[in-house]
Amino acid sequence: MQTKLQPDQSIAHKLLVQVGAGRATASYDDGRKIYNQGDHADFVYFVQEGSIKLTVTSDNGAKCALGIAKRGQFFGEACLHDIPVRAASATAIGECRITSVTKAAILSAIQEEPKFAKVFVDYLLDHNSWVEKHTLDHLLNLEEAY
């Protein structure tokens, strides 16, 4: 999920530290799952150090890489849109340090902290642009094959 613009990592981290209850930070070894496709979705994650690979597995077992969440980026934010289960799996690449924030805590931070809301909305808009660009590239490449 490398995007053209990244939120200011120090601002995002400083604002996340202010979130009291509902926030935890943990270290993950290379290859360790943060969550699996189909797991209950109730946390948004922030990459403090390292990278996270996001993958999806089809019903017939085909696996596809969706992207990489890098330092200073969020992932797992689909839970904020009332999606109850994870659509993909997230796995640590190398040593990682990840902050998890409950859905309730992040929604509260968005409502009560305008600076955090701006950083988070900027991330979401940037991420949406990245997804749109890569989806269009994929569709155009498929069309060229015919």
Side-chain angles (χ1 to χ4, degrees), residues 33 35-39 53-67 85-91:
K33 291 279 187 181
Y35 58 77
N36 288 300
Q37 183 175 334
D39 284 355
K53 184 176 185 179
L54 300 164
T55 58
V56 66
T57 304
S58 70
D59 291 339
N60 66 1
K63 198 174 203 177
C64 178
L66 298 176
V85 296
R86 298 290 178 196
S89 296
T91 308

Side-chain angles (χ1 to χ4, degrees), residues 13-98:
H13 184 254
K14 286 177 186 175
L15 292 168
L16 279 174
V17 168
Q18 295 175 11
V19 174
R23 179 186 55 83
T25 299
S27 295
Y28 293 85
D29 294 329
D30 183 41
R32 184 169 167 208
K33 291 279 187 181
I34 288 88
Y35 58 77
N36 288 300
Q37 183 175 334
D39 284 355
H40 184 69
D42 52 2
F43 290 90
V44 174
Y45 298 86
F46 179 77
V47 182
Q48 285 187 30
E49 297 292 333
S51 298
I52 304 299
K53 184 176 185 179
L54 300 164
T55 58
V56 66
T57 304
S58 70
D59 291 339
N60 66 1
K63 198 174 203 177
C64 178
L66 298 176
I68 305 290
K70 297 186 177 192
R71 183 174 182 234
Q73 293 182 318
F74 295 91
F75 65 100
E77 69 278 359
C79 72
L80 298 176
H81 192 56
D82 291 329
I83 298 174
V85 296
R86 298 290 178 196
S89 296
T91 308
I93 300 173
E95 301 295 314
C96 298
R97 188 151 176 83
I98 308 296

Side-chain angles (χ1 to χ4, degrees), residues 100-138:
S100 61
V101 184
T102 65
K103 177 180 174 178
I106 205 152
L107 288 173
S108 177
I110 289 168
Q111 290 176 358
E112 296 172 15
E113 295 293 333
K115 287 181 184 178
F116 179 75
K118 176 161 181 10
V119 167
F120 194 72
V121 168
D122 286 350
Y123 162 76
L124 292 174
L125 292 170
D126 192 44
H127 178 68
N128 187 58
S129 295
W130 182 92
V131 170
E132 184 178 271
K133 177 195 179 308
H134 284 79
T135 301
L136 290 173
D137 287 349
H138 177 72

